[in-house]
């Protein structure tokens, strides 16, 4: 039986403590683990988690990523095996990023039917696993300049040329078996362009998770090491949003809803808690939050130094995103969280 657990066996006698009448004592419901569990407002479940993965060329290739301990680049064969393991843990979905054999100006391999991500999706589909497969739909891992769209003659990222590329990438990902495509390039009109292309190609059932509110964040650093996608020149501030802007984020989300998004994604997660909460209020679509590479790396680095408890910090931050209103959390710690939840049950 669980009763109140004292902080220590017995304290010293406290003299002169006069009785105090308080109408409300919130500590009553915090007395025991059982009471706390009963009144807990948000709960995590493995089925609401999505694990991002980096798929690289080759066979039986497994490469660690310096800034992201516990995360690896995997070739399609090992990626499929890892997805099967995640399904076994009850994780809700996987989000695949691809690293091409060769990069070029247009990011050609991103839409290649024999590209690494497409190969991985085919292998995963063949396993008939009970989880959702999501494709990151972007160009930056595939372009030699590292930007999320083709560079025009004026040296700027060409929005409308990017739309055609993103549309064909999404179609190739759907053809390979992705249940959901997640456009992350922050090009204007990308959701509409992808929706139209999917429908025209006969993929009317492929859903779109729109990276609707994506800030130009400093927390993507480790990802760029993992995906080799640091821009060769300039930065992403002409297409990703200024982190100072919240109303603009709501406009981005509204546009994506209008263009046909099925789910909205806020990114990065912890710095975007206000946007998650506002999105939950305003829209009735599923809202996802992305605990990005830098958020993961911060916790991992502090934990490695003994400065923070990795498990508690991970559960607290992911839990905060759910409390703010996210029904889906994309996190590199998905497998660990699923194991912790299993062990706690
Ligand atoms: C691709 C993309 C990025 C991330 C997700 N999709 C990189 C970027 O925008 O620079 C970052 C994810 C992470 O940091 O975990 N555009």
């Amino acid at each position: 039986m669980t009763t109140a657990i004292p902080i220590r066996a017995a304290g010293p006698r406290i003299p002169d403590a006069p009785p105090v009448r308080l109408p409300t004592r919130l500590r009553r419901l915090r007395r025991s683990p059982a009471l706390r569990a009963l009144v807990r407002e948000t709960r995590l479940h493995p089925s609401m988690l999505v694990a991002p993965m980096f798929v690289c060329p080759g066979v039986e290739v497994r490469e660690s990523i310096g800034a992201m301990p516990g995360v690896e680049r995997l070739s399609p064969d090992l990626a499929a095996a890892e997805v099967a393991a995640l399904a076994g843990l009850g994780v809700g979905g996987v989000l695949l990023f691809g690293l091409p054999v060769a990069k070029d100006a247009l990011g050609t391999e991103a839409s290649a039917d024999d590209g690494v991500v497409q190969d991985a999706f085919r292998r995963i589909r063949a396993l008939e696993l009970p989880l959702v497969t999501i494709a990151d739909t972007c160009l930056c891992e595939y372009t030699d300049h590292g930007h999320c769209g083709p560079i025009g003659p004026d040296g700027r990222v060409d929005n409308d040329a990017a739309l055609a590329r993103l549309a064909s990438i999404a179609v190739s990902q759907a053809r390979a078996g992705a249940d959901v495509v997640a456009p992350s390039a922050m090009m204007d009109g990308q959701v509409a362009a992808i929706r139209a292309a999917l429908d025209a190609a006969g993929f009317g059932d492929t859903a779109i998770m729109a990276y609707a509110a994506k800030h130009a964040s400093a927390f993507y650093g480790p990802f760029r090491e993992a995906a080799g996608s640091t821009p060769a020149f300039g930065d992403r501030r002409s297409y990703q949003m200024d982190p100072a802007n919240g109303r603009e984020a709501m406009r981005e989300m509204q546009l994506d809803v209008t263009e046909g998004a099925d789910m909205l994604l806020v990114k990065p997660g912890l710095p975007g808690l206000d946007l998650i909460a506002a999105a939950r209020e305003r829209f009735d679509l599923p809202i996802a939050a992305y605990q990005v590479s830098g958020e993961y790396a911060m916790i991992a680095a502090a934990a490695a130094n003994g400065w923070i408890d990795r498990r508690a910090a991970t559960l607290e931050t992911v839990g905060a995103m759910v409390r703010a209103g996210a029904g889906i959390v994309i996190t590199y710690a998905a497998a660990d969280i699923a194991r912790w939840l299993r062990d706690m049950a």
Side-chain angles (χ1 to χ4, degrees):
M1 198 187 85
T2 326
T3 49
I5 295 183
I7 291 168
R8 50 187 227 191
R13 252 184 52 82
I14 305 172
D16 306 314
V20 179
R21 284 186 59 83
L22 289 177
T24 307
R25 288 184 184 270
L26 293 176
R27 288 185 58 188
R28 278 184 201 122
L29 299 183
R30 300 178 195 147
R31 285 179 66 225
S32 68
L35 272 166
R36 293 194 291 271
L38 190 70
V39 302
R40 189 157 296 134
E41 297 175 30
T42 50
R43 290 183 174 82
L44 295 177
H45 192 271
S47 65
M48 70 203 297
L49 303 175
V50 172
M53 295 175 56
F54 299 101
V55 185
C56 64
V59 178
E60 287 190 23
V61 179
R62 180 186 293 280
E63 294 168 356
S64 55
I65 300 159
M68 301 175 73
V71 181
E72 296 167 317
R73 293 187 207 92
L74 301 172
S75 51
D77 53 324
L78 296 187
E82 175 67 18
V83 176
L86 288 161
L89 286 165
V91 169
V94 289
L95 169 64
L96 301 195
F97 294 93
L99 289 97
V101 177
K103 304 190 185 219
D104 61 26
L106 295 177
T108 308
E109 269 185 53
S111 54
D113 280 327
D114 59 354
V116 274
V117 158
Q118 288 81 357
D119 182 8
F121 277 121
R122 285 204 180 80
R123 290 168 187 267
I124 295 163
R125 177 167 57 186
L127 299 176
E128 296 185 21
L129 301 167
L131 49 61
V132 177
T133 56
I134 311 173
D136 179 75
T137 305
C138 196
L139 283 167
C140 59
E141 303 105 77
Y142 296 89
T143 50
D144 49 14
H145 45 72
H147 280 287
C148 301
I151 308 296
D154 57 358
R156 300 188 66 224
V157 173
D158 184 332
N159 189 89
D160 299 5
L163 297 184
R165 290 292 301 124
L166 292 167
S168 63
I169 296 168
V171 169
S172 79
Q173 292 168 334
R175 193 180 293 128
D179 299 316
V180 180
V181 295
S184 65
M186 289 300 282
M187 295 296 133
D188 288 327
Q190 62 184 11
V191 172
I194 288 172
R195 184 70 272 156
L198 288 172
D199 291 351
F203 297 107
D205 285 336
T206 304
I208 300 178
M209 175 188 273
Y211 280 70
K214 176 171 174 180
H215 281 137
S217 171
F219 292 103
Y220 307 151
F223 175 95
R224 293 177 189 173
E225 179 207 329
S229 62
T230 307
F233 58 89
D235 54 43
R236 301 203 205 290
R237 281 183 275 190
S238 78
Y239 40 103
Q240 298 180 355
M241 275 189 309
D242 183 343
N245 294 358
R247 288 186 293 272
E248 185 187 358
M250 301 315 288
R251 295 186 75 197
E252 281 282 1
M253 290 193 253
Q254 180 62 62
L255 266 176
D256 284 357
V257 171
T258 309
E259 290 180 25
D262 299 286
M263 299 179 250
L264 295 174
L265 176 51
V266 174
K267 171 183 175 192
L270 210 54
L273 287 183
D274 58 329
L275 304 180
I276 298 170
R280 181 67 294 155
E281 278 282 302
R282 195 174 305 181
F283 304 108
D284 291 328
L285 285 75
I287 307 290
Y290 195 150
Q291 181 175 56
V292 301
S293 58
E295 300 179 75
Y296 176 87
M298 273 197 303
I299 294 174
N305 277 293
W307 298 334
I308 208 171
D309 179 318
R310 177 167 178 266
R311 174 173 145 158
T314 301
L315 292 173
E316 181 177 330
T317 49
V318 170
M321 294 173 212
V322 175
R323 189 189 70 229
I328 302 165
V329 181
I330 303 175
T331 169
Y332 298 94
D336 288 330
I337 296 172
R339 275 187 219 102
W340 295 332
L341 293 174
R342 186 189 59 194
D343 296 345
M344 275 154 46

